Amino acid sequence: MSRYLLRRLLLLVPVLLGVSIVVFLVLHLSPGDPAEIMLGPQATAEDVAGLRAALGLDQPLPIQYAHWMAHVLQGDLGRSIRMRQPVLGEVLTRFRATLLLTVTALLLSTLGGITLGVISATWPHSVVDRLSTLGSIFGASMPSFWLGLVLMVCFSLWLGWLPASGMYGAHGAGSVADLLSHLVLPAVTLAAASMTIIARLTRSTMLDILRQDFVRTARAKGLVERAVVLRHALRNALIPTVTVVGVQAGYLLGGAIFTETVFAWPGVGTLMVQGILARDFPLVQGCVLIVALVFVLFNLAVDLLYAMLDPRIRYE
Amino acid sequence: MRLETWWSGAALAVLVLTAAGTVVLGASSVVPAQPANNLVVGLVAEPVALDPAQVTDLNSNRVGRRVVETLVAFADESTQIVPGLAESWTISKDGLSYTFKLRRGITFHDGTPFNAQAVKFSIERQFNPEHPANKLGKYPFAAYFFGNVQAVEVMDDSTVRFILKEPRASFLAILTAGAASIVSPTAALKSGQDYAANPVGTGPFKFATWDRGQRVVLDKNPSYWRFPVKVDRVIFRPITEDQARLTELLTGALDLIVGTPPDFVAQLENHPKVTLHRQVGAHVWYLGFNNSKKPFDDKRVRQALNYAVNKDAIVRDVLKGTGAVSKGPVLPGTWGDDATLKPFPYDPERAKKLLADAGLASGFSTTLWVPESGSGMQSPVAMSTVIQSNLKAVGVNVSLQTMEWGTFLAKLRTKEQDMFALSWMAGSEDPDLVMYPLLHSSQWTPSGPNRAMYKNTRFDEMLAQARLTTDQGKRAELYREAQRLLHDDPPWIFIDHEVQTAAHSKRVQGFKLHPSFDLRVETISLK
């Protein structure tokens, strides 16, 4: 197990190296020049050339990459071009907010999705099942930013129950209640699509399993239905669900960009959007590296979870 | 782990979340009421940095300029120049030296004294490569504003003299710009590269905290020299999404929003809870021709296209009234404006006749470069699409090429443009700050901002003459004549001047938008 873990952790190195090369190339080869954007229309050609030189952007790409990588290896992600603040500190501060949002959404979508799935499978074609099917079609086809706006208009503007944006009230660091009230709308918005996917998957796997012989045996033994469904069927149905949850974790990290922008959530998504618009290379590269690292670790955690759920799975 | 345990754990978590949600929903009264004398402002984007000498965007300036001030300033409701940190000044006869008498007894927020040394420090750090603070930041206006400054001399503690390389009558207007703000040298050197996130000046508010992505907090400067500030604290919150900003205003979480999206203006106009402000800003949105290229080298073609575009429709239907039709680069109603000139009327028949006179009766094809967005660009693609269809109606086939802002600016330096959509925020009504850079032939791209490559010898002479003239009345006459000339020999299609908008709750009193796009929240008191 520990050898497997070590091997997986070592594999992180080539993965992150690949990510760094791809993000570097995509950014530097796409149109747009940070010096032009930063200096604006009043800048002279000399101003722009001077700033490009000061930022090292006049160097050949391989040299720029090597220079950046040399610093990254020493734990220095550089300074943001537009904000002139160290990238690492900036990204880490923002990442906490993203992580809170993503984990809450993942929790919501997993628990909500499995619960809905189990209920739908246990009582197929019931009202709950039909509603959940209908909800799934909506959930999967609604763009998250649109759902976010609808929820905002309903719960903030009309009902006045929840704040429309930000992470805390404007006047102070705020209490946990303050934080939670700000978290509800973005977390629900972000979780909606994943929840419906998990619910549909759990339902179909559960329906399959509930028809299998060992379930009939369990019932014949005289086990109560609750134990049959939860202890025997659900446990077996969870393996594909966990896989999907792992995939959804990555999807949620990515989807957080839209949700954060809609709700002015101070996460790494809003930071990245600003960075991309300004072609702030070090900032975007830093954001992507950290998000990639977390994503890979998330997947590793999911793989380890398999072994916990299914004793037959062993990692050597 | 037994599955039941896992499942009960999950059920418990759901329960806790639901409970927490309920508590939160019911707890809105538990959250402390907002301090009565704090003002919360919603911005369209987060400030980039708070040192106005290091930024080019409006949002950074709107916050940063509350902390620092300039030697001379704009009057409350116009961009006429009034004393700021300098109480008086004299200009030498040759227009080359400007001597400022500074106000005494003013201190920076860090307690250090404001004096002539600080003025020298703040300006010279931007253009003098040997200056100790020069490498601590990037100063985008160094060449544009201060390239003409030979030296800043300290005469005594409260007298400072600027020596210019050549005379320039708009130099005082330049000294009102954010980049000319006076910073605390002690603080700038102490914070080094981080100074732009910890600004220290003499302004009505002092910097308190900046929670990244969430808010910038400024506290009142209790010993502000101009007047007692009535608000205890201003909190600026970046909220990019229009609907979110509007919702927060209508639910009372924000007191003031600036930059109301055109589609929401009508909704806010008669809303019982808010007051809407409009104000034409020192800005111009234009469609530049490449005046050095055929067929645009013929002024009849350029006149024709001015007649062909329906500016009223653009302002009414695309901008929903957040623009004022333009007749030239100078802001209407200001001292340099020629009130006798009227915008080109929408007259497609006349356009066709002029094109026929120029030998283009069957029209021609051309391209129009448009940025997707950009500072001061309003709704570039929608506006350009209307222009494209207007031009098609007179036989001019325009193919639109949209591009990203930075690419667009870089591409304009190639001089390959036919037509391009661009705007200019002079931030001041002084005609020199818009006509000279955009239209004088010495300012041709790539080294200057004259991207239309306009050259008119008579116009050049008048502008140069106006720079040497310190008497504002005489300058105004020269600029009026220059505008009449531009009307006859138009370098662009004149489109609009942006009407800035802001909306605030009824508890906000004493707020006014400023034509320079500055956001002067220090005049506000709260009911």
Side-chain angles (χ1 to χ4, degrees):
Chain A
M1 183 73 174
S2 55
R3 279 190 57 191
Y4 171 78
L5 199 63
L6 190 70
R7 204 170 68 223
R8 284 290 299 262
L9 287 175
L10 279 179
L11 266 175
L12 279 179
V13 177
V15 168
L16 290 179
L17 206 65
V19 167
S20 75
I21 293 175
V22 171
V23 65
F24 184 88
L25 284 181
V26 166
L27 275 175
H28 283 79
L29 296 179
S30 61
D33 175 358
E36 287 279 4
I37 297 172
M38 204 175 126
L39 296 177
Q42 88 289 340
T44 66
E46 298 84 68
D47 287 342
V48 175
L51 182 55
R52 287 181 60 85
L55 295 171
L57 296 170
D58 53 347
Q59 304 281 324
L61 278 191
I63 293 185
Q64 286 188 49
Y65 177 79
H67 189 252
W68 174 60
M69 217 34 197
H71 280 87
V72 169
L73 291 177
Q74 298 164 41
D76 172 17
L77 292 181
R79 265 183 190 259
S80 149
I81 292 178
R82 60 194 282 271
M83 301 186 294
R84 288 171 289 283
Q85 296 293 308
V87 168
L88 187 63
E90 207 67 28
V91 177
L92 289 183
T93 319
R94 297 295 199 96
F95 200 71
R96 274 179 279 172
T98 298
L99 213 58
L100 176 67
L101 176 61
T102 313
V103 169
T104 312
L106 192 65
L107 221 63
L108 268 181
S109 58
T110 310
L111 297 180
I114 292 178
T115 311
L116 274 180
V118 169
I119 295 175
S120 301
T122 321
W123 296 283
H125 310 300
S126 65
V127 179
V128 176
D129 184 28
R130 280 164 204 275
L131 282 180
S132 131
T133 310
L134 193 71
S136 303
I137 296 170
F138 266 111
S141 50
M142 257 186 310
S144 64
F145 60 87
W146 186 80
L147 175 66
L149 289 178
V150 170
L151 291 178
M152 184 191 296
V153 169
C154 289
F155 290 97
S156 303
L157 189 58
W158 293 347
L159 297 171
W161 290 354
L162 293 165
S165 71
M167 188 162 157
Y168 290 107
H171 297 278
S175 54
V176 175
D178 185 26
L179 173 64
L180 285 176
S181 71
H182 282 85
L183 184 59
V184 175
L185 289 184
V188 168
T189 304
L190 184 57
S194 298
M195 176 147 73
T196 59
I197 292 169
I198 293 171
R200 298 318 289 165
L201 183 80
T202 310
R203 177 184 183 272
S204 60
T205 333
M206 281 290 283
L207 279 177
D208 267 356
I209 287 174
L210 284 172
R211 280 190 217 105
Q212 285 183 16
D213 290 344
F214 77 93
V215 173
R216 191 177 312 132
T217 311
R219 282 185 180 136
K221 270 198 317 194
L223 279 182
V224 291
E225 187 63 12
R226 189 175 148 265
V228 174
V229 171
L230 294 186
R231 196 196 299 171
H232 293 271
L234 178 60
R235 181 153 189 168
N236 283 287
L238 275 184
I239 295 285
T241 305
V242 167
T243 312
V244 168
V245 168
V247 174
Q248 291 302 315
Y251 165 81
L252 290 176
L253 266 180
I257 292 182
F258 300 108
T259 314
E260 285 177 4
T261 306
V262 170
F263 292 101
W265 188 262
V268 84
T270 40
L271 186 69
M272 217 176 335
V273 170
Q274 292 157 8
I276 291 170
L277 291 179
R279 296 298 184 274
D280 192 337
F281 299 139
L283 183 68
V284 179
Q285 287 161 193
C287 288
V288 173
L289 263 194
I290 303 244
V291 170
L293 176 69
V294 172
F295 180 57
V296 177
L297 290 178
F298 235 104
N299 274 333
L300 178 58
V302 168
D303 285 351
L304 296 179
L305 201 61
Y306 287 150
M308 273 169 69
L309 287 171
D310 188 342
R312 288 168 302 179
I313 298 175
R314 282 284 172 268
Y315 295 116
E316 296 304 333
Chain B
M1 182 166 57
R2 286 169 63 85
L3 196 59
E4 273 106 335
T5 338
W6 186 87
W7 187 244
S8 340
L12 191 71
V14 173
L15 212 68
V16 168
L17 277 181
T18 322
T22 323
V23 167
V24 166
L25 289 184
S28 21
S29 56
V30 181
V31 177
Q34 59 176 37
N37 215 14
N38 286 6
L39 175 79
V40 190
V41 180
L43 295 175
V44 180
E46 181 165 33
V48 174
L50 298 179
D51 177 0
Q54 299 196 48
V55 293
T56 54
D57 69 303
L58 275 181
N59 291 298
S60 301
N61 269 292
R62 282 169 171 157
V63 181
R65 298 201 66 170
R66 311 281 67 78
V67 177
V68 289
E69 295 178 297
T70 44
L71 292 181
V72 284
F74 291 138
D76 284 340
E77 287 173 52
S78 74
T79 60
Q80 289 284 14
I81 290 163
V82 297
L85 288 173
E87 57 184 16
S88 64
W89 55 88
T90 51
I91 305 169
S92 68
K93 275 224 154 53
D94 59 5
L96 286 174
S97 86
Y98 285 65
T99 311
F100 294 89
K101 204 84 198 137
L102 307 181
R103 280 176 211 278
R104 291 162 186 272
I106 297 177
T107 52
F108 289 109
H109 302 146
D110 62 358
T112 57
F114 159 73
N115 55 24
Q117 281 295 347
V119 176
K120 182 178 167 73
F121 177 95
S122 303
I123 306 298
E124 282 194 348
R125 68 179 172 144
Q126 299 180 52
F127 66 80
N128 178 2
E130 308 299 320
H131 194 278
N134 183 259
K135 298 284 178 289
L136 300 177
K138 306 268 184 308
Y139 305 102
F141 294 101
Y144 180 65
F145 280 155
F146 306 117
N148 188 30
V149 176
Q150 180 84 48
V152 185
E153 294 173 352
V154 174
M155 312 301 289
D156 63 47
D157 205 42
S158 60
T159 314
V160 69
R161 179 173 290 165
F162 287 72
I163 310 288
L164 305 189
K165 293 176 186 162
E166 40 189 80
R168 184 164 176 192
S170 62
F171 187 64
L172 282 178
I174 288 173
L175 289 184
T176 63
S181 300
I182 311 305
V183 305
S184 155
T186 316
L189 289 174
K190 199 174 109 200
S191 299
Q193 289 198 69
D194 295 326
Y195 170 76
N198 305 278
V200 177
T202 56
F205 291 95
K206 49 187 180 184
F207 173 75
T209 51
W210 187 348
D211 298 323
R212 294 280 170 177
Q214 302 184 57
R215 51 180 207 154
V216 179
V217 181
L218 306 182
D219 283 337
K220 139 171 138 174
N221 173 3
S223 50
Y224 184 49
W225 62 273
R226 273 182 70 203
F227 48 77
V229 180
K230 298 187 200 84
V231 172
D232 290 339
R233 173 173 269 205
V234 191
I235 299 156
F236 293 93
R237 291 187 52 203
I239 305 176
T240 310
E241 173 58 42
D242 294 335
Q243 180 66 54
R245 215 164 52 253
L246 190 72
T247 302
E248 295 281 48
L249 175 73
L250 295 178
T251 55
L254 292 177
D255 296 310
L256 169 72
I257 61 171
V258 61
T260 324
D263 287 335
F264 290 127
V265 168
Q267 193 184 336
L268 289 176
E269 193 110 62
N270 300 310
H271 200 286
K273 281 185 174 170
V274 299
T275 310
L276 182 74
H277 292 259
R278 297 162 190 263
Q279 159 78 48
V280 185
H283 157 279
V284 62
W285 198 107
Y286 62 94
L287 203 105
F289 303 113
N290 183 338
N291 285 265
S292 66
K293 224 178 187 181
K294 276 193 181 316
F296 304 113
D297 55 351
D298 184 334
K299 77 175 181 186
R300 287 170 298 186
V301 175
R302 286 179 271 129
Q303 287 171 347
L305 301 199
N306 267 291
Y307 284 116
V309 172
N310 190 344
K311 277 89 58 182
D312 289 302
I314 293 176
V315 163
R316 186 184 60 232
D317 300 330
V318 179
L319 299 175
K320 315 277 183 197
T322 59
V325 172
S326 149
K327 59 183 179 183
V330 178
L331 197 60
T334 56
W335 62 265
D337 170 45
D338 182 356
T340 61
L341 283 177
K342 296 282 169 272
F344 280 90
Y346 174 51
D347 190 346
E349 289 313 312
R350 193 145 170 204
K352 281 186 199 160
K353 188 174 173 305
L354 280 164
L355 284 174
D357 290 349
L360 292 166
S362 51
F364 63 96
S365 293
T366 186
T367 57
L368 167 56
W369 292 354
V370 184
E372 286 151 2
S373 62
S375 175
M377 285 309 297
Q378 301 182 297
S379 308
V381 180
M383 292 164 80
S384 301
T385 311
V386 175
I387 294 169
Q388 179 188 33
S389 73
N390 283 166
L391 294 185
K392 183 152 181 70
V394 299
V396 179
N397 284 309
V398 177
S399 86
L400 279 194
Q401 292 178 9
T402 57
M403 48 197 110
E404 179 274 332
W405 181 232
T407 313
F408 173 76
L409 291 177
K411 236 180 141 186
L412 285 172
R413 295 190 199 283
T414 62
K415 302 187 183 186
E416 282 164 15
Q417 55 267 38
D418 291 334
M419 296 199 293
F420 59 98
L422 196 54
S423 67
W424 186 256
M425 273 195 197
S428 160
E429 63 193 29
D430 194 315
D432 182 57
L433 294 179
V434 51
M435 286 169 123
Y436 198 94
L438 293 183
L439 297 166
H440 193 275
S441 65
S442 66
Q443 301 294 311
W444 273 27
T445 197
S447 52
N450 183 351
R451 297 173 172 90
M453 286 161 281
Y454 183 68
K455 183 178 168 69
N456 181 315
T457 320
R458 177 81 191 105
F459 177 84
D460 280 356
E461 282 167 15
M462 279 185 286
L463 253 57
Q465 183 60 38
R467 278 199 158 183
L468 301 176
T469 312
T470 40
D471 180 85
Q472 189 168 297
K474 286 187 185 137
R475 285 181 73 204
E477 270 170 38
L478 286 163
Y479 288 130
R480 286 190 198 119
E481 200 189 332
Q483 285 163 71
R484 289 192 287 274
L485 213 151
L486 286 186
H487 208 69
D488 175 62
D489 181 29
W492 318 320
I493 304 181
F494 305 117
I495 306 289
D496 84 305
H497 305 284
E498 182 173 349
V499 174
Q500 22 165 7
T501 54
H504 61 68
S505 65
K506 298 285 185 195
R507 81 184 195 110
V508 172
Q509 310 280 310
F511 173 74
K512 284 199 179 76
L513 279 165
H514 196 269
S516 66
F517 291 89
D518 197 10
L519 191 68
R520 300 187 161 184
V521 296
E522 54 271 26
T523 62
I524 289 178
S525 61
L526 294 167
K527 237 192 345 197

